[in-house]
């Protein structure tokens, strides 16, 4: 059961229309219901939890807060379920499942089986095979209980064969999904491969995926989607963004040809477009970005959380494109607009996605020498719970954190922090080449009288790193080479051409 902190978060994330629907469903007046006053106080979002408890105790001396909070939570969840009831195929199927069980228990059998058939047709048409199987098994259970009215043996066998076919396909999808989930886990936790050993481990997954794919007997949107997305992610991780992008475009075509299967819940497509735009950014194919960015902007999710996620990603890629094209004033303007619309309002975004934006904003402000602002944003990245942030993003955050302190001339702090970062990365086995040469450069910077030599060492080492397929992907996240050349040429690094 949710505690008051969970309730406060839930209420804070409600859209205006969701709040109106809740208050319309459960009207109250101030001082009328303890759960109503609790809701009003939590909605304001500025009253500490302990103060809320004290105020409610004064108004309702005999009331217990825990039962009131549990009741409010149940009411909110019921309201949200009702509000979303007809907005997606899955919600419609869940509603139908409840209706079918009620109809059977009330003895209204003809309508019950009619609703089951309706649900099966809807589930099959939208490739919700798990729901189809649920209704199909329920149908056979009810037919058995009623001693098979109006059902001959041929019809019974056909129903059973259909269940077996879809069970086999669901098993195939589950095996395929398991491999894709494992690959995606490695991507988010480890980033691109950075050693031959990691490549070999991915090749084992690729072989498993090929073997699973060979067993597919039934083509569906879900199975095709999983295969293409696995291939795209594999090539992205192994340093072949061109192949990854090519497959992602095939995947985008698949989505566009089957929009009826996902349009009510477009979260997967939102992340697909995000992946395509990220690939284009890394490959410096900036001319293609506006098309896919427009595709993302045109989506109109019904769920408020998805709408906010979409808007967040639009800002993320607009800022990235402006920075990459040297339009730094536009990038800063978009960054400030994003802060006003999202950060100032504390809008909730998935942690790793939010941390990626913090890092991108930190890079933008670093480029225009707003180092204190950049430092604050990097700290937001590093303060994100380790279980919710990718290893690659964390490492880049630590490196940028060091460079900011170098620019701020915090040399005493740098001595301590370099040792801390090195120790942390060694412990986690994440001390790869970029990290090593950056830490080595900073040590030289602190200890050498001729700091130009330290800068030159770093510039040469970074140039060699460009040829390393395992390492150069990280160089797209922050302009390390331009930054060091800016110091060598005594020029703002945003003006340096490489």
């Amino acid at each position: 059961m949710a505690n008051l902190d969970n309730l406060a978060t839930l209420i804070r994330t409600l859209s205006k229309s969701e709040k109106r629907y809740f208050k319309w469903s459960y009207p109250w007046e101030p001082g009328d219901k303890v759960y109503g006053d609790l809701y009003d106080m939590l909605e304001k979002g500025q009253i500490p939890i302990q103060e809320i408890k004290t105020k409610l105790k004064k108004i309702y001396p005999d009331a217990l807060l825990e039962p009131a909070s549990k009741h409010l939570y149940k009411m909110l969840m019921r309201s949200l379920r009702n509000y979303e009831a007809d907005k997606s195929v899955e919600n419609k199927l869940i509603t139908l499942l409840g209706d079918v069980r009620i109809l059977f228990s009330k003895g209204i059998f003809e309508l019950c089986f009619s609703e089951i058939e309706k649900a099966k047709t809807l589930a099959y048409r939208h490739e919700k095979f798990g729901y189809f199987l649920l209704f199909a098994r329920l149908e056979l259970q009810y037919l058995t209980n009623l001693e098979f009215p109006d059902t001959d043996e041929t019809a019974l066998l056909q129903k059973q064969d259909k269940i077996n076919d879809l069970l086999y396909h669901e098993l195939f999808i589950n095996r395929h999904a398991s491999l894709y989930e494992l690959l995606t886990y490695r991507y988010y936790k480890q980033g691109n491969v950075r050693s031959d050993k990691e490549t070999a481990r991915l090749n084992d997954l690729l072989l498993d995926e090929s073997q699973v794919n060979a067993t597919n007997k039934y083509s569906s949107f879900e199975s095709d989607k999983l295969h293409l997305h696995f291939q795209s992610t594999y090539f992205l991780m192994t340093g072949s963004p061109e192949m990854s992008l090519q497959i992602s475009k095939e995947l985008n075509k698949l989505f566009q040809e089957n929009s009826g299967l996902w349009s009510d819940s477009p979260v997967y497509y939102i992340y697909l477009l995000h992946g395509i735009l990220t690939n284009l950014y890394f490959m410096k194919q900036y001319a293609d970005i506006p098309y896919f960015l427009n595709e993302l902007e045109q989506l109109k999710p019904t769920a408020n959380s998805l709408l906010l996620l979409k808007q967040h990603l639009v800002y993320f890629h607009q800022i990235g494109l402006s920075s990459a094209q040297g339009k730094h004033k536009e990038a800063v303007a978009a960054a400030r607009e994003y802060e006003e619309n999202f950060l100032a309002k504390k809008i909730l975004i998935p942690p790793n996605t939010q941390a990626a934006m913090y890092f991108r904003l930190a890079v933008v402000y670093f480029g225009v020498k707003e180092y204190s602002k950049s430092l604050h944003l990097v700290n937001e990245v590093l303060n994100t719970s380790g279980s919710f942030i990718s290893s690659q993003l964390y490492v880049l955050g630590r490196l940028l954190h060091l460079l900011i302190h170098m620019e701020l001339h915090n040399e005493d702090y740098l001595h301590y922090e370099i040792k801390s970062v090195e120790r942390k990365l060694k412990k986690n086995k994440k001390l790869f080449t970029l990290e090593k040469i950056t830490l080595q450069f900073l040590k030289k910077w602190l200890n050498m009288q001729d700091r130009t030599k330290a800068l030159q060492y770093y510039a040469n080492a970074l140039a060699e790193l460009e040829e390393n397929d395992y390492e150069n992907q990280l160089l797209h996240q922050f302009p390390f080479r331009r930054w060091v050349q800016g110091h060598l040429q005594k020029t703002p690094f945003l003006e340096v051409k490489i």
Side-chain angles (χ1 to χ4, degrees):
M1 183 60 66
N3 57 31
L4 285 182
D5 288 327
N6 297 142
L7 266 176
T9 300
L10 179 61
I11 292 169
R12 190 170 71 249
T13 59
L14 296 176
S15 66
K16 290 181 179 179
S17 56
E18 288 170 338
K19 290 177 181 178
R20 282 196 301 270
Y21 185 84
F22 175 64
K23 290 186 176 181
W24 173 80
S25 302
Y26 305 100
W28 69 81
E29 295 294 332
D32 181 26
K33 302 286 185 181
V34 61
Y35 65 78
D37 285 358
L38 174 59
Y39 173 88
D40 289 335
M41 291 179 187
L42 290 173
E43 185 186 18
K44 292 177 181 177
Q46 300 171 343
I47 306 175
I49 297 296
Q50 190 56 48
E51 188 177 333
I52 288 176
K53 293 179 179 179
T54 303
K55 285 186 175 183
L56 287 174
K57 193 65 178 176
K58 288 182 179 179
I59 302 172
Y60 305 95
D62 298 327
L64 296 175
L65 184 58
E66 185 176 351
S69 63
K70 288 181 178 180
H71 184 62
L72 176 57
Y73 171 75
K74 289 180 180 179
M75 291 169 62
L76 281 166
M77 296 305 291
R78 188 183 301 122
S79 173
L80 288 171
R81 286 194 296 271
N82 292 337
Y83 181 78
E84 298 288 341
D86 294 324
K87 292 189 176 183
S88 73
V89 171
E90 287 196 4
N91 285 338
K92 291 176 183 176
L93 290 168
I94 291 170
T95 300
L96 279 169
L97 182 61
D99 292 349
V100 162
R101 286 173 169 159
I102 291 171
L103 290 169
F104 187 81
S105 69
K106 298 299 182 183
I108 310 175
F109 301 127
E110 288 187 359
L111 182 56
C112 171
F113 286 109
S114 174
E115 292 293 270
I116 286 177
E117 200 59 40
K118 175 183 174 182
K120 285 166 56 183
T121 301
L122 181 65
Y124 192 81
R125 184 169 68 245
H126 289 272
E127 295 191 4
K128 305 294 184 183
F129 300 127
Y131 285 98
F132 181 95
L133 291 167
L134 182 62
F135 280 101
R137 287 306 311 166
L138 198 60
E139 179 185 28
L140 290 181
Q141 178 188 326
Y142 288 166
L143 286 172
T144 303
N145 292 347
L146 297 174
E147 300 178 358
F148 302 101
D150 297 325
T151 305
D152 58 31
E153 187 169 332
T154 301
L156 177 61
L157 289 171
Q158 287 176 344
K159 292 178 186 296
Q160 292 173 335
D161 287 342
K162 188 66 174 179
I163 289 174
N164 289 332
D165 286 344
L166 288 182
L167 274 173
Y168 182 88
H169 188 61
E170 276 290 279
L171 178 61
F172 163 80
I173 287 176
N174 183 65
R175 292 171 64 198
H176 210 158
S178 297
L179 290 171
Y180 172 66
E181 288 156 5
L182 182 55
L183 181 73
T184 307
Y185 172 87
R186 293 183 186 175
Y187 177 62
Y188 285 126
K189 294 296 182 181
Q190 302 168 14
N192 297 334
V193 297
R194 300 179 71 183
S195 69
D196 292 331
K197 183 178 180 180
E198 289 183 352
T199 300
R201 289 183 67 211
L202 281 193
N203 287 340
D204 289 342
L205 273 185
L206 182 66
L207 178 60
D208 289 343
E209 195 265 348
S210 177
Q211 291 172 342
V212 168
N213 206 48
T215 66
N216 189 18
K217 297 179 181 179
Y218 185 92
S219 180
S220 68
F221 170 69
E222 184 69 18
S223 60
D224 293 342
K225 178 187 78 174
L226 282 169
H227 172 62
L228 290 173
H229 221 149
F230 183 98
Q231 296 283 319
S232 174
T233 305
Y234 168 82
F235 284 117
L236 179 63
M237 291 182 68
T238 53
S240 300
E242 296 85 359
M243 282 297 299
S244 177
L245 179 61
Q246 180 180 327
I247 295 172
S248 291
K249 288 182 177 179
E250 291 180 39
L251 190 54
N252 183 55
K253 182 180 178 184
L254 178 71
F255 267 83
Q256 291 181 336
E257 290 173 348
N258 294 275
S259 60
L261 299 179
W262 56 264
S263 57
D264 62 331
S265 182
V267 60
Y268 205 108
Y269 190 50
I270 288 173
Y271 277 111
L272 169 62
L273 291 173
H274 173 48
I276 292 174
L277 288 163
T278 300
N279 264 359
L280 290 169
Y281 178 78
F282 284 163
M283 294 169 61
K284 301 182 180 180
Q285 294 188 13
Y286 305 133
D288 291 337
I289 287 180
Y291 170 80
F292 291 100
L293 193 54
N294 183 64
E295 288 285 304
L296 182 60
E297 286 187 278
Q298 293 305 310
L299 290 176
K300 293 180 171 55
T302 55
N304 188 58
S305 59
L306 285 187
L307 180 61
L308 292 172
L309 174 63
K310 183 206 80 168
Q311 292 170 341
H312 162 91
L313 292 175
V314 167
Y315 273 111
F316 181 78
H317 290 292
Q318 284 176 337
I319 292 168
L321 179 60
S322 295
S323 296
Q325 292 180 322
K327 300 174 181 178
H328 304 297
K329 289 184 179 179
E330 289 184 15
V332 172
R336 298 197 195 286
E337 186 177 304
Y338 173 85
E339 288 184 90
E340 182 180 342
N341 291 336
F342 279 78
L343 299 188
K345 297 178 182 178
K346 297 183 179 180
I347 291 173
L348 296 178
I349 299 295
N352 195 61
T353 307
Q354 183 66 77
M357 177 60 102
Y358 283 135
F359 183 80
R360 179 155 289 184
L361 294 175
V363 173
V364 168
Y365 288 117
F366 184 91
V368 294
K369 297 187 177 183
E370 291 191 31
Y371 298 124
S372 295
K373 187 81 173 267
S374 183
L375 181 61
H376 169 74
L377 290 160
V378 167
N379 283 332
E380 292 287 353
V381 175
L382 301 180
N383 290 334
T384 303
S385 173
S387 59
F388 290 104
I389 185 173
S390 73
S391 170
Q392 182 171 293
L393 191 54
Y394 175 80
V395 167
L396 287 166
R398 293 300 296 256
L399 296 183
L400 180 54
H401 186 257
L402 292 172
L403 296 183
I404 293 171
H405 280 290
M406 175 187 155
E407 294 287 8
L408 292 172
H409 307 292
N410 296 332
E411 297 187 5
D412 289 339
Y413 177 79
L414 269 180
H415 278 287
Y416 160 79
E417 187 64 8
I418 289 169
K419 292 178 182 178
S420 174
V421 172
E422 191 169 32
R423 186 166 55 249
K424 177 81 171 177
L425 295 179
K426 279 183 178 178
K427 180 181 177 181
N428 294 333
K429 298 180 180 179
K430 294 296 179 185
L431 194 60
F432 294 103
T433 308
L434 176 61
E435 295 90 321
K436 288 179 181 177
I437 64 173
T438 302
L439 294 174
Q440 189 63 32
F441 153 67
L442 289 167
K443 290 176 184 177
K444 291 177 182 292
W445 172 267
L446 290 172
N447 297 322
M448 295 175 69
Q449 289 188 339
D450 186 356
R451 288 180 163 176
T452 301
K453 289 184 178 179
L455 290 164
Q456 193 60 60
Y457 154 79
Y458 195 39
N460 294 339
L462 288 171
E464 290 181 15
L465 207 61
E466 284 277 0
E467 306 303 317
N468 186 328
D469 290 337
Y470 291 139
E471 296 285 341
N472 59 22
Q473 292 296 311
L474 272 72
L475 300 181
H476 294 297
Q477 303 274 17
F478 178 81
F480 292 95
R481 288 190 66 197
R482 289 172 62 196
W483 173 78
V484 73
Q485 287 297 333
H487 272 282
L488 285 168
Q489 299 172 20
K490 302 189 185 313
T491 303
F493 83 85
L494 293 178
E495 299 176 11
V496 173
K497 305 294 183 183
I498 294 181

